[in-house]
Amino acid sequence: MPELPEVQTQVDDLQVLVGKKFLDVRTDSEKIFKMPYKIFVQEIRGLKIKSIKRRAKFLLFFLSKKKILIVHFRMTGHFLIDAEDPYIRATFEFSDGTILHYSDIRKFGCVCLSEVDTYEKKYGFDKLGVEPLEDEFTFDKFKEIIKGHKGTVKPFLLSQKFIAGIGNIYADESAFIAGIHPLAKLDKLPLKKQEALYNAIRESLTRGVENRGTTIGEYVDTKGERGKNQYSLFAYKRKGLPCLKCGTEMQRIVVVQRGTTFCDKCQKMY
DNA sequence: GACAATGTTACAGT
DNA sequence: CACTGTAACATTGT
């Protein structure tokens, strides 16, 4: 699934598009455009890409004329440059001939065009939590965020309004690395475990980025190449396999409708 | 042909 | 009202 590391990998790859000008767009799946497709094409033609950034799991293309292209991959979306697969839903052509494909098996992803001045309010970017790999996400900041938080660890990690960019893979990994049960109550965690969780979040996400993402289903980079982080996972999708720390069989439960894998012995409730 | 996969949002409940 | 938890939705491969 595209989470922070996968989206970051794509954004890094997409930097080759900065400075290019949109010439045309084609699609056979108009529904992924969150506005009338014809208007979208009309508006984006001739606009130039000034910069490409990531916020949470969103890709933000800052364009000329104060426009912004916002893309979310949801479960199975990704971009391809000079590469193809059977699930291309939209194709962007640039004035220099460069071709950018948007591929998405499930078609849950979305693409829309907005205004630089208003998109944050319009799409709720102002409600997103802190970026976990930025310098501002210190342990002090983390303690502040969890202060008075009554909920449990996994739903907290998945919610985008406290910390942005974590999904099912990195939530399970973070809880495992910290040695905390996914259903442990946040306000019951001793200080040392809070610190362990903070470090685990940074560690799992950083490793994910270094490994260019986790490819278990379909995620690939813009060249269609697989990530390598699936070889470094401790918990995600390891149900029934021996825990890599203690050898105990890994358990699977469902939390907020997400499959959740953990080690009963290594991950405690406190 | 039922089901599993999951990020987001709308909504119910406290 | 702020916060937490749950259900529904998008679609397709197995």
Side-chain angles (χ1 to χ4, degrees):
Chain A
M1 308 304 133
E3 303 177 27
L4 187 154
E6 291 75 29
V7 176
Q8 187 63 52
T9 300
Q10 285 259 325
V11 165
D12 291 346
D13 287 359
L14 290 168
Q15 296 304 317
V16 298
L17 300 176
V18 171
K20 296 188 192 294
K21 196 190 281 182
F22 285 96
L23 186 68
D24 204 2
V25 187
R26 290 181 298 279
T27 187
D28 60 0
S29 309
E30 295 194 12
K31 279 186 83 173
I32 62 173
F33 295 87
K34 293 301 151 200
M35 59 193 290
Y37 167 66
K38 280 194 171 146
I39 294 176
F40 175 89
V41 181
Q42 254 171 39
E43 287 196 9
I44 204 167
R45 274 197 185 123
L47 297 184
K48 196 186 233 183
I49 299 178
K50 299 176 100 170
S51 64
I52 306 173
K53 293 177 180 161
R54 179 191 58 75
R55 174 75 173 106
K57 299 167 198 166
F58 292 88
L59 295 93
L60 304 175
F61 296 71
F62 290 87
L63 309 178
S64 52
K65 295 195 178 162
K66 297 186 101 175
K67 296 281 186 182
I68 182 166
L69 176 68
I70 306 171
V71 177
H72 197 294
F73 291 153
R74 291 285 182 121
M75 282 180 76
T76 56
H78 55 261
F79 282 114
L80 293 170
I81 301 172
D82 299 326
E84 290 185 21
D85 70 18
Y87 306 106
I88 289 162
R89 309 304 186 189
T91 298
F92 298 83
E93 188 182 349
F94 293 91
S95 59
D96 68 347
T98 301
I99 297 288
L100 173 69
H101 293 298
Y102 175 68
S103 163
D104 193 339
I105 297 182
R106 297 282 186 272
K107 296 197 260 191
F108 290 174
C110 56
V111 177
C112 80
L113 199 56
S114 188
E115 314 285 330
V116 168
D117 295 332
T118 60
Y119 80 95
E120 287 175 299
K121 273 217 167 114
K122 192 174 173 190
Y123 294 102
F125 281 82
D126 51 351
K127 295 196 186 75
L128 288 172
V130 65
E131 281 293 333
L133 294 186
E134 295 289 315
D135 291 342
E136 54 161 345
F137 184 58
T138 58
F139 180 46
D140 279 344
K141 174 88 181 174
F142 180 68
K143 280 189 287 189
E144 203 177 292
I145 294 170
I146 60 176
K147 196 160 68 181
H149 196 283
K150 297 272 192 289
T152 54
V153 168
K154 176 128 178 187
F156 166 78
L157 291 174
L158 291 177
S159 165
Q160 301 298 299
K161 68 179 176 181
F162 305 109
I163 302 170
I166 300 175
N168 212 25
I169 300 172
Y170 299 95
D172 278 6
E173 292 306 296
S174 298
F176 180 91
I177 292 167
I180 300 172
H181 193 290
L183 292 177
K185 294 243 194 295
L186 266 182
D187 57 1
K188 296 261 167 57
L189 291 183
L191 189 65
K192 278 214 161 163
K193 279 292 153 181
Q194 295 177 21
E195 194 166 12
L197 183 56
Y198 166 79
N199 286 325
I201 291 167
R202 305 264 293 195
E203 183 187 325
S204 64
L205 292 171
T206 302
R207 191 183 304 131
V209 173
E210 284 168 2
N211 285 330
R212 294 184 58 78
T214 301
T215 302
I216 283 188
E218 76 309 313
Y219 172 78
V220 288
D221 67 15
T222 61
K223 296 182 191 71
E225 284 171 18
R226 296 161 63 82
K228 294 183 173 63
N229 201 55
Q230 59 275 22
Y231 306 120
S232 304
L233 297 179
F234 290 99
Y236 182 75
K237 281 280 164 85
R238 296 198 72 254
K239 174 200 163 189
L241 297 172
C243 168
L244 294 173
K245 272 188 197 161
C246 77
T248 305
E249 189 176 317
M250 299 288 285
Q251 307 289 309
R252 180 182 187 272
I253 55 174
V254 174
V255 180
V256 282
Q257 302 179 126
R258 265 80 198 121
T260 299
T261 312
F262 69 104
C263 172
D264 216 3
K265 201 170 163 192
C266 295
Q267 295 175 252
K268 307 229 172 67
M269 297 292 281
Y270 298 96

